[in-house]
Amino acid sequence: MFPDEPSYRIDYDDLDVVDLVSQIRAKVDRATQNIGTPPRTPRADAEQLWKHLLVPDDHLEELRSLLSAPQDWNVGPEDLVTSRRGVWGDLVRAVRHLARPLLKLVANAELPLYKQHKINLGIAAALQQLLEENARLRAALAADNATSKTRTSSCDGRAN
Amino acid sequence: MRLAVVVQRYGVEITGGAELHARLVCEHLAPSHDITVLTTCARDYITWNNSYPRGIADVNGLPVWRFPVSRSRDPVRFGKLQERVFCREHSLATARAWLDAQGPYTPAMSRWIRRNKGAFDYFICFSYRYWTTFEAMRAVPNKVILVPTAEPDPAVEIPLFHSMFRDARAIVYNSHEERDMIIGITRNQRVPGDVVGVGIIEPPETCGERFRAAYGIEKPYVLYLGRIDDNKGCPQLFDYYTRLYASMLGSGTEPPLLILAGSAAMEIPIHPGIRYLGRVDEHDKYAALAGALCLVMPSFYESLSMVLLEAWAVGRPVLVNGHCDVLRGQTVRSRGGLYYLGQAEFGEALRVLSSDARLCQTMGQSGRTYYESNYRWPVIESKYEAILEQLAAVDANGGATG
């Protein structure tokens, strides 16, 4: 496949399979780079990763404020009786409370609502974790950029 | 000792997997122990339909009790339960329902074991994931030697099984990787056990040239042996091979053929480099191995690959999927081949093996030495004996209650 490459270093008396596979991998990587794929460095990999992981600022804020108010997005069994019609709402709520056992007899909507409630909380907790991880990555990226700039300017200084 | 061997299927017609493993172990332990096999009437591992007659039979001189499967597997129900148990948090009851649906559901065997447990010193149970093993473990926890044959798939993580791994009297692992995985998941390190594996049917005197002549194969070839199946990584093998074939032809190099032998459970691509021989007998299998450049094993999940041992037994190297810890581990320990993690590595590794006869010979020889030191039957038998003696010594001192 790669005829111009030097042959492998193989100690036939003491074969090292892991070493030989590493040599094969290195050769494959070099060949991949030669046909135009940008060289992979840890930093390039990290930037690619960050590009996918980092969410735009406004989305982050939106998400953060939404997660902080579960009453605005979550559902639960209480929603079956809730009403927001002021004084009339109190009456409606009372009637719904009274009718609840009857409703439950016909169709028990409370159970699926409760399950959905728990699922939503789980998703919210996972999103919260992602937000925290994102914040950590941003901080790491900022620190890395700062170090990198310092290093570059120091190199520039030596070159000059 | 009086030993009962519990396994989901048993018969000379079953030529692979844990069932062949169990049969070979039984037949090799039989000269020194009184062996009784407890199994089902099923021959098909998908439906568990009863095929063999119930009752006692003689298989290669061993008594085999076959119990009827009360419920064939319902693939739809099983699939739904498996999706829940593998992918979501679930209750113990759901896991139990999944196990019952997986089967082979054989209450008659469970009852028989409870009635006759006093007649046996130990129960050697094969394959942790089946109903038969689970129920045997419940019936006689203090007497079970478990041969898990576990692969790194989601089943091993199901909490229902964890107590089984912790409560077994001893565990016979197939590989170092399997042991590490099970200990890592179930924290059962205090359970005595050893990496034993299984031997193979000793290869006859073979000649690769005669195989080539018989099947009209003139070019060098790599060999795939076994069930040709999605689950064995065959689609990836076909993809990698056909791309390599085109690339080698493009660079003016003659590509090796890919020879397939075994039962086909998927469509095999029609390609000038691929030849399918169907199922072959033991003699042709070893002759095919002897004449091959190498054996290729693309599977992602294995607990122990017997075909690797067969290749090494005839001194041929292997090329394995490096994503499978067990295959990679065996290959590294034996120095009997190479592993790959992608198409480019597969192609280059195959090119290296095709162009370096000395390397193939050296790797084949290393593989053979590894097989002889670790997987010849006298080695396997002595490891089983050591485990049995260890348990018997503990029991003689009142260490366990039956």
PDB file of all heavy atoms in Angstrom, chain B residues 213-235:
ATOM      1  N   ALA B 213      -5.605 -27.917  -3.839  1.00  0.00           N
ATOM      2  CA  ALA B 213      -5.916 -28.710  -5.034  1.00  0.00           C
ATOM      3  C   ALA B 213      -7.387 -29.137  -5.013  1.00  0.00           C
ATOM      4  O   ALA B 213      -8.084 -29.027  -6.030  1.00  0.00           O
ATOM      5  CB  ALA B 213      -5.000 -29.933  -5.090  1.00  0.00           C
ATOM      6  N   ALA B 214      -7.856 -29.561  -3.842  1.00  0.00           N
ATOM      7  CA  ALA B 214      -9.235 -30.063  -3.750  1.00  0.00           C
ATOM      8  C   ALA B 214     -10.249 -28.963  -4.067  1.00  0.00           C
ATOM      9  O   ALA B 214     -11.286 -29.225  -4.674  1.00  0.00           O
ATOM     10  CB  ALA B 214      -9.479 -30.631  -2.355  1.00  0.00           C
ATOM     11  N   TYR B 215      -9.963 -27.723  -3.638  1.00  0.00           N
ATOM     12  CA  TYR B 215     -10.922 -26.643  -3.840  1.00  0.00           C
ATOM     13  C   TYR B 215     -10.539 -25.709  -5.001  1.00  0.00           C
ATOM     14  O   TYR B 215     -11.188 -24.689  -5.223  1.00  0.00           O
ATOM     15  CB  TYR B 215     -11.077 -25.831  -2.544  1.00  0.00           C
ATOM     16  CG  TYR B 215     -11.894 -26.566  -1.498  1.00  0.00           C
ATOM     17  CD1 TYR B 215     -11.283 -27.431  -0.591  1.00  0.00           C
ATOM     18  CD2 TYR B 215     -13.275 -26.419  -1.432  1.00  0.00           C
ATOM     19  CE1 TYR B 215     -12.023 -28.115   0.364  1.00  0.00           C
ATOM     20  CE2 TYR B 215     -14.024 -27.096  -0.475  1.00  0.00           C
ATOM     21  CZ  TYR B 215     -13.400 -27.949   0.418  1.00  0.00           C
ATOM     22  OH  TYR B 215     -14.148 -28.619   1.364  1.00  0.00           O
ATOM     23  N   GLY B 216      -9.483 -26.079  -5.720  1.00  0.00           N
ATOM     24  CA  GLY B 216      -9.084 -25.277  -6.875  1.00  0.00           C
ATOM     25  C   GLY B 216      -8.658 -23.865  -6.504  1.00  0.00           C
ATOM     26  O   GLY B 216      -9.009 -22.902  -7.185  1.00  0.00           O
ATOM     27  N   ILE B 217      -7.920 -23.740  -5.403  1.00  0.00           N
ATOM     28  CA  ILE B 217      -7.462 -22.408  -4.967  1.00  0.00           C
ATOM     29  C   ILE B 217      -5.969 -22.300  -5.254  1.00  0.00           C
ATOM     30  O   ILE B 217      -5.164 -23.043  -4.683  1.00  0.00           O
ATOM     31  CB  ILE B 217      -7.744 -22.202  -3.466  1.00  0.00           C
ATOM     32  CG1 ILE B 217      -9.251 -22.254  -3.217  1.00  0.00           C
ATOM     33  CG2 ILE B 217      -7.173 -20.880  -2.976  1.00  0.00           C
ATOM     34  CD1 ILE B 217      -9.627 -22.406  -1.761  1.00  0.00           C
ATOM     35  N   GLU B 218      -5.603 -21.397  -6.130  1.00  0.00           N
ATOM     36  CA  GLU B 218      -4.188 -21.276  -6.496  1.00  0.00           C
ATOM     37  C   GLU B 218      -3.509 -20.093  -5.819  1.00  0.00           C
ATOM     38  O   GLU B 218      -2.339 -20.156  -5.478  1.00  0.00           O
ATOM     39  CB  GLU B 218      -4.062 -21.143  -8.020  1.00  0.00           C
ATOM     40  CG  GLU B 218      -4.401 -22.456  -8.738  1.00  0.00           C
ATOM     41  CD  GLU B 218      -4.582 -22.273 -10.223  1.00  0.00           C
ATOM     42  OE1 GLU B 218      -4.314 -21.167 -10.727  1.00  0.00           O
ATOM     43  OE2 GLU B 218      -5.003 -23.245 -10.880  1.00  0.00           O
ATOM     44  N   LYS B 219      -4.267 -19.019  -5.637  1.00  0.00           N
ATOM     45  CA  LYS B 219      -3.642 -17.795  -5.094  1.00  0.00           C
ATOM     46  C   LYS B 219      -3.507 -17.892  -3.575  1.00  0.00           C
ATOM     47  O   LYS B 219      -4.211 -18.673  -2.924  1.00  0.00           O
ATOM     48  CB  LYS B 219      -4.516 -16.596  -5.425  1.00  0.00           C
ATOM     49  CG  LYS B 219      -4.579 -16.275  -6.903  1.00  0.00           C
ATOM     50  CD  LYS B 219      -5.468 -15.067  -7.086  1.00  0.00           C
ATOM     51  CE  LYS B 219      -5.656 -14.768  -8.560  1.00  0.00           C
ATOM     52  NZ  LYS B 219      -6.629 -13.695  -8.780  1.00  0.00           N
ATOM     53  N   PRO B 220      -2.645 -17.044  -3.006  1.00  0.00           N
ATOM     54  CA  PRO B 220      -2.599 -16.965  -1.528  1.00  0.00           C
ATOM     55  C   PRO B 220      -3.958 -16.497  -1.006  1.00  0.00           C
ATOM     56  O   PRO B 220      -4.674 -15.760  -1.692  1.00  0.00           O
ATOM     57  CB  PRO B 220      -1.536 -15.889  -1.264  1.00  0.00           C
ATOM     58  CG  PRO B 220      -0.811 -15.701  -2.531  1.00  0.00           C
ATOM     59  CD  PRO B 220      -1.714 -16.122  -3.645  1.00  0.00           C
ATOM     60  N   TYR B 221      -4.293 -16.920   0.207  1.00  0.00           N
ATOM     61  CA  TYR B 221      -5.604 -16.521   0.740  1.00  0.00           C
ATOM     62  C   TYR B 221      -5.541 -16.303   2.246  1.00  0.00           C
ATOM     63  O   TYR B 221      -4.701 -16.877   2.945  1.00  0.00           O
ATOM     64  CB  TYR B 221      -6.675 -17.569   0.405  1.00  0.00           C
ATOM     65  CG  TYR B 221      -6.445 -18.928   1.009  1.00  0.00           C
ATOM     66  CD1 TYR B 221      -6.937 -19.259   2.278  1.00  0.00           C
ATOM     67  CD2 TYR B 221      -5.721 -19.898   0.329  1.00  0.00           C
ATOM     68  CE1 TYR B 221      -6.728 -20.507   2.831  1.00  0.00           C
ATOM     69  CE2 TYR B 221      -5.497 -21.161   0.870  1.00  0.00           C
ATOM     70  CZ  TYR B 221      -6.000 -21.459   2.123  1.00  0.00           C
ATOM     71  OH  TYR B 221      -5.779 -22.689   2.674  1.00  0.00           O
ATOM     72  N   VAL B 222      -6.463 -15.445   2.698  1.00  0.00           N
ATOM     73  CA  VAL B 222      -6.708 -15.334   4.141  1.00  0.00           C
ATOM     74  C   VAL B 222      -8.016 -16.058   4.397  1.00  0.00           C
ATOM     75  O   VAL B 222      -8.890 -16.105   3.534  1.00  0.00           O
ATOM     76  CB  VAL B 222      -6.792 -13.867   4.620  1.00  0.00           C
ATOM     77  CG1 VAL B 222      -5.466 -13.184   4.482  1.00  0.00           C
ATOM     78  CG2 VAL B 222      -7.855 -13.098   3.878  1.00  0.00           C
ATOM     79  N   LEU B 223      -8.128 -16.617   5.594  1.00  0.00           N
ATOM     80  CA  LEU B 223      -9.258 -17.500   5.869  1.00  0.00           C
ATOM     81  C   LEU B 223     -10.126 -16.948   6.983  1.00  0.00           C
ATOM     82  O   LEU B 223      -9.614 -16.500   8.019  1.00  0.00           O
ATOM     83  CB  LEU B 223      -8.710 -18.874   6.273  1.00  0.00           C
ATOM     84  CG  LEU B 223      -9.732 -19.960   6.586  1.00  0.00           C
ATOM     85  CD1 LEU B 223     -10.475 -20.400   5.324  1.00  0.00           C
ATOM     86  CD2 LEU B 223      -9.045 -21.176   7.220  1.00  0.00           C
ATOM     87  N   TYR B 224     -11.448 -16.976   6.775  1.00  0.00           N
ATOM     88  CA  TYR B 224     -12.391 -16.720   7.876  1.00  0.00           C
ATOM     89  C   TYR B 224     -13.127 -18.026   8.139  1.00  0.00           C
ATOM     90  O   TYR B 224     -13.691 -18.620   7.220  1.00  0.00           O
ATOM     91  CB  TYR B 224     -13.399 -15.621   7.515  1.00  0.00           C
ATOM     92  CG  TYR B 224     -14.474 -15.504   8.575  1.00  0.00           C
ATOM     93  CD1 TYR B 224     -14.249 -14.756   9.719  1.00  0.00           C
ATOM     94  CD2 TYR B 224     -15.675 -16.192   8.466  1.00  0.00           C
ATOM     95  CE1 TYR B 224     -15.205 -14.689  10.725  1.00  0.00           C
ATOM     96  CE2 TYR B 224     -16.636 -16.134   9.467  1.00  0.00           C
ATOM     97  CZ  TYR B 224     -16.396 -15.383  10.588  1.00  0.00           C
ATOM     98  OH  TYR B 224     -17.339 -15.326  11.589  1.00  0.00           O
ATOM     99  N   LEU B 225     -13.114 -18.451   9.384  1.00  0.00           N
ATOM    100  CA  LEU B 225     -13.755 -19.716   9.768  1.00  0.00           C
ATOM    101  C   LEU B 225     -14.842 -19.451  10.786  1.00  0.00           C
ATOM    102  O   LEU B 225     -14.616 -18.718  11.745  1.00  0.00           O
ATOM    103  CB  LEU B 225     -12.730 -20.611  10.465  1.00  0.00           C
ATOM    104  CG  LEU B 225     -11.947 -21.633   9.670  1.00  0.00           C
ATOM    105  CD1 LEU B 225     -11.006 -22.358  10.612  1.00  0.00           C
ATOM    106  CD2 LEU B 225     -12.841 -22.618   8.958  1.00  0.00           C
ATOM    107  N   GLY B 226     -16.004 -20.055  10.587  1.00  0.00           N
ATOM    108  CA  GLY B 226     -17.066 -19.915  11.587  1.00  0.00           C
ATOM    109  C   GLY B 226     -18.326 -19.374  10.967  1.00  0.00           C
ATOM    110  O   GLY B 226     -18.438 -19.257   9.741  1.00  0.00           O
ATOM    111  N   ARG B 227     -19.285 -19.032  11.857  1.00  0.00           N
ATOM    112  CA  ARG B 227     -20.569 -18.535  11.365  1.00  0.00           C
ATOM    113  C   ARG B 227     -20.372 -17.182  10.697  1.00  0.00           C
ATOM    114  O   ARG B 227     -19.714 -16.298  11.249  1.00  0.00           O
ATOM    115  CB  ARG B 227     -21.534 -18.420  12.553  1.00  0.00           C
ATOM    116  CG  ARG B 227     -22.976 -18.487  12.156  1.00  0.00           C
ATOM    117  CD  ARG B 227     -23.889 -18.639  13.357  1.00  0.00           C
ATOM    118  NE  ARG B 227     -23.930 -17.439  14.178  1.00  0.00           N
ATOM    119  CZ  ARG B 227     -23.502 -17.391  15.437  1.00  0.00           C
ATOM    120  NH1 ARG B 227     -22.994 -18.451  16.023  1.00  0.00           N
ATOM    121  NH2 ARG B 227     -23.578 -16.273  16.126  1.00  0.00           N
ATOM    122  N   ILE B 228     -20.917 -17.062   9.488  1.00  0.00           N
ATOM    123  CA  ILE B 228     -20.784 -15.793   8.765  1.00  0.00           C
ATOM    124  C   ILE B 228     -22.015 -14.972   9.120  1.00  0.00           C
ATOM    125  O   ILE B 228     -23.121 -15.244   8.666  1.00  0.00           O
ATOM    126  CB  ILE B 228     -20.663 -16.070   7.252  1.00  0.00           C
ATOM    127  CG1 ILE B 228     -19.399 -16.904   7.017  1.00  0.00           C
ATOM    128  CG2 ILE B 228     -20.617 -14.774   6.452  1.00  0.00           C
ATOM    129  CD1 ILE B 228     -19.477 -17.804   5.831  1.00  0.00           C
ATOM    130  N   ASP B 229     -21.797 -13.977   9.981  1.00  0.00           N
ATOM    131  CA  ASP B 229     -22.917 -13.376  10.691  1.00  0.00           C
ATOM    132  C   ASP B 229     -22.589 -11.922  11.008  1.00  0.00           C
ATOM    133  O   ASP B 229     -21.426 -11.580  11.241  1.00  0.00           O
ATOM    134  CB  ASP B 229     -23.071 -14.176  12.015  1.00  0.00           C
ATOM    135  CG  ASP B 229     -24.373 -13.899  12.717  1.00  0.00           C
ATOM    136  OD1 ASP B 229     -24.945 -12.837  12.480  1.00  0.00           O
ATOM    137  OD2 ASP B 229     -24.797 -14.741  13.524  1.00  0.00           O
ATOM    138  N   ASP B 230     -23.626 -11.090  11.030  1.00  0.00           N
ATOM    139  CA  ASP B 230     -23.454  -9.689  11.451  1.00  0.00           C
ATOM    140  C   ASP B 230     -22.760  -9.617  12.805  1.00  0.00           C
ATOM    141  O   ASP B 230     -21.878  -8.789  13.035  1.00  0.00           O
ATOM    142  CB  ASP B 230     -24.824  -9.021  11.633  1.00  0.00           C
ATOM    143  CG  ASP B 230     -25.426  -8.595  10.308  1.00  0.00           C
ATOM    144  OD1 ASP B 230     -24.858  -8.978   9.274  1.00  0.00           O
ATOM    145  OD2 ASP B 230     -26.464  -7.910  10.316  1.00  0.00           O
ATOM    146  N   ASN B 231     -23.203 -10.491  13.728  1.00  0.00           N
ATOM    147  CA  ASN B 231     -22.685 -10.440  15.097  1.00  0.00           C
ATOM    148  C   ASN B 231     -21.218 -10.812  15.185  1.00  0.00           C
ATOM    149  O   ASN B 231     -20.590 -10.610  16.224  1.00  0.00           O
ATOM    150  CB  ASN B 231     -23.468 -11.397  16.005  1.00  0.00           C
ATOM    151  CG  ASN B 231     -24.889 -10.946  16.166  1.00  0.00           C
ATOM    152  OD1 ASN B 231     -25.169  -9.756  16.116  1.00  0.00           O
ATOM    153  ND2 ASN B 231     -25.787 -11.901  16.319  1.00  0.00           N
ATOM    154  N   LYS B 232     -20.670 -11.390  14.143  1.00  0.00           N
ATOM    155  CA  LYS B 232     -19.254 -11.779  14.161  1.00  0.00           C
ATOM    156  C   LYS B 232     -18.382 -10.741  13.455  1.00  0.00           C
ATOM    157  O   LYS B 232     -17.204 -11.008  13.180  1.00  0.00           O
ATOM    158  CB  LYS B 232     -19.083 -13.152  13.503  1.00  0.00           C
ATOM    159  CG  LYS B 232     -19.708 -14.291  14.303  1.00  0.00           C
ATOM    160  CD  LYS B 232     -18.833 -14.624  15.506  1.00  0.00           C
ATOM    161  CE  LYS B 232     -19.420 -15.733  16.347  1.00  0.00           C
ATOM    162  NZ  LYS B 232     -18.641 -15.964  17.566  1.00  0.00           N
ATOM    163  N   GLY B 233     -18.956  -9.614  13.108  1.00  0.00           N
ATOM    164  CA  GLY B 233     -18.172  -8.551  12.472  1.00  0.00           C
ATOM    165  C   GLY B 233     -17.937  -8.779  10.987  1.00  0.00           C
ATOM    166  O   GLY B 233     -17.086  -8.108  10.385  1.00  0.00           O
ATOM    167  N   CYS B 234     -18.690  -9.695  10.375  1.00  0.00           N
ATOM    168  CA  CYS B 234     -18.440 -10.012   8.956  1.00  0.00           C
ATOM    169  C   CYS B 234     -18.727  -8.842   8.001  1.00  0.00           C
ATOM    170  O   CYS B 234     -17.976  -8.662   7.042  1.00  0.00           O
ATOM    171  CB  CYS B 234     -19.218 -11.262   8.552  1.00  0.00           C
ATOM    172  SG  CYS B 234     -18.550 -12.729   9.348  1.00  0.00           S
ATOM    173  N   PRO B 235     -19.788  -8.038   8.244  1.00  0.00           N
ATOM    174  CA  PRO B 235     -19.998  -6.919   7.311  1.00  0.00           C
ATOM    175  C   PRO B 235     -18.778  -5.999   7.247  1.00  0.00           C
ATOM    176  O   PRO B 235     -18.378  -5.556   6.166  1.00  0.00           O
ATOM    177  CB  PRO B 235     -21.203  -6.183   7.907  1.00  0.00           C
ATOM    178  CG  PRO B 235     -21.938  -7.229   8.658  1.00  0.00           C
ATOM    179  CD  PRO B 235     -20.883  -8.138   9.224  1.00  0.00           C
TER     180      PRO B 235
END
